[in-house]
Amino acid sequence: MGDGALVDVGDVTLFVRELGERGDKPSLVVMHGGPDVGHGYLVPGFEPLARDHHVVLFDFRGCGRSARGLPDEDLQPEYVVQDTHRLIDKLGLGQVDLLGFSTGGRAAMQFVDKHPEQVRRLVLASTTAYTDAEQYLAGWEEYQRRQRAEDAAGGKLRNSTVFVWDLDLAPAYLELLESLGSDTGDWSEERAINGDMHPWCPGDPERILRDSGKPILILHGEHDMGFPVQLARRLHAALPTSHLAVIPNTAHMCHFENPTTWSNHIREFLQSPEQTADR
């Protein structure tokens, strides 16, 4: 399934891509961000890991090549969690390691709350448990500065310079996005702004993660402008089972800017002995 295949999980059909070979180690299931895109932009970060791990990526319902044109009421975060649960069962993966990227990180928190028995370890990548990111003004000021620079340049590199720190990589990131073609989504930002979308992680994420007792890797770019690194450090301090890895000189798409370091952090975490906090 290296090129991807459609998998029926009951209510919807999901486009699923498997990288690497199944083995004795738990598979790593990935919940992408957005949610208005598919998983394609994440593939560069997992190719190094797939040399010795089985990685399962999929498009959320209403995204990419998964079921599209669904009613608005069917595009809610809890259904993404339900689909992930069913997909793991459908593929016969047993207990998995789970990675949530950006918005998918919050969905992964909800997944751990609802289906803790299916998760061995959890990776929270370029995401946050909090909703008060604006208090960390340094990150937001840089984010806004780059947006203004994009606008002044005609917006050619929009969705690239605000997500990568090394501006020399911005054209390559834009090229990746353009190569994905229809890897878009039906989820409406307007519905989220109007309060019509349910929370991606209802309840108290800190409590959910702490009570789960799962080993947790918090993986973050040093200069993430959407979720400033202070939020990652705050969550690490709140969770006794967490390990924090900050990748220098990268932003939100640190998996793209430095895929080798990014994947090595994941590999070391998944292969390490059962652990508590690494302080």
Side-chain angles (χ1 to χ4, degrees):
M1 203 185 287
D3 293 329
L6 293 174
V7 177
D8 188 341
V9 295
D11 295 344
V12 294
T13 300
L14 303 178
F15 177 73
V16 181
R17 188 196 313 262
E18 297 185 44
L19 303 178
E21 300 294 329
R22 295 198 194 193
D24 296 334
K25 299 187 287 275
S27 299
L28 178 66
V29 174
V30 179
M31 304 181 79
H32 66 75
D36 55 345
V37 295
H39 74 265
Y41 71 101
L42 289 175
V43 170
F46 290 101
E47 289 175 332
L49 184 66
R51 295 173 191 144
D52 50 22
H53 279 74
H54 180 233
V55 182
V56 179
L57 304 104
F58 68 99
D59 293 341
F60 291 171
R61 59 168 60 202
C63 291
R65 284 173 276 184
S66 289
R68 301 289 293 270
L70 300 170
D72 284 349
E73 58 267 24
D74 289 349
L75 295 178
Q76 293 289 358
E78 61 267 28
Y79 295 127
V80 171
V81 171
Q82 172 187 281
D83 295 342
T84 307
H85 166 67
R86 292 178 176 178
L87 179 64
I88 292 170
D89 284 346
K90 183 79 172 186
L91 297 179
L93 298 178
Q95 190 178 52
V96 303
D97 295 320
L98 185 66
L99 183 147
F101 185 92
S102 195
T103 299
R106 294 184 64 81
M109 297 173 201
Q110 182 179 168
F111 188 96
V112 167
D113 190 34
K114 291 189 174 182
H115 305 287
E117 74 288 346
Q118 282 190 307
V119 180
R120 184 186 72 124
R121 296 188 178 195
L122 177 64
V123 180
L124 299 174
S126 298
T127 189
T128 184
Y130 308 107
T131 58
D132 55 355
E134 64 274 6
Q135 69 173 293
Y136 302 102
L137 295 178
W140 282 97
E141 288 173 354
E142 177 62 14
Y143 183 94
Q144 292 166 350
R145 185 190 72 77
R146 292 194 177 204
Q147 282 198 320
R148 289 194 296 270
E150 287 179 11
D151 290 338
K156 182 179 179 181
L157 297 180
R158 179 159 296 281
N159 292 326
S160 54
T161 64
V162 295
F163 291 131
V164 298
W165 184 253
D166 183 352
L167 295 181
D168 288 340
L169 292 176
Y173 180 64
L174 178 64
E175 183 178 350
L176 170 66
L177 296 183
E178 291 177 342
S179 73
L180 299 176
S182 62
D183 204 18
T184 57
D186 299 332
W187 294 68
S188 166
E189 183 177 358
E190 183 179 356
R191 288 181 62 234
I193 293 172
N194 291 340
D196 296 327
M197 190 178 299
H198 302 162
W200 282 91
C201 183
D204 180 354
E206 278 190 8
R207 179 196 59 76
I208 289 169
L209 296 173
R210 190 182 303 115
D211 290 353
S212 77
K214 308 291 183 185
I216 297 170
L217 170 63
I218 302 168
L219 186 56
H220 220 81
E222 179 185 19
H223 301 293
D224 192 315
M225 290 166 279
F227 301 132
V229 70
Q230 293 95 325
L231 295 168
R233 299 188 190 282
R234 176 178 164 188
L235 183 61
H236 175 51
L239 299 179
T241 60
S242 71
H243 172 73
L244 174 64
V246 177
I247 301 179
N249 300 314
T250 63
H252 192 62
M253 299 298 174
C254 47
H255 72 284
F256 177 83
E257 294 190 87
N258 195 336
T260 300
T261 298
W262 194 80
S263 60
N264 281 343
H265 279 302
I266 298 172
R267 177 181 291 108
E268 292 169 5
F269 171 70
L270 297 182
Q271 293 181 345
S272 65
E274 292 294 331
Q275 58 189 2
T276 54
D278 182 354
R279 300 283 177 188

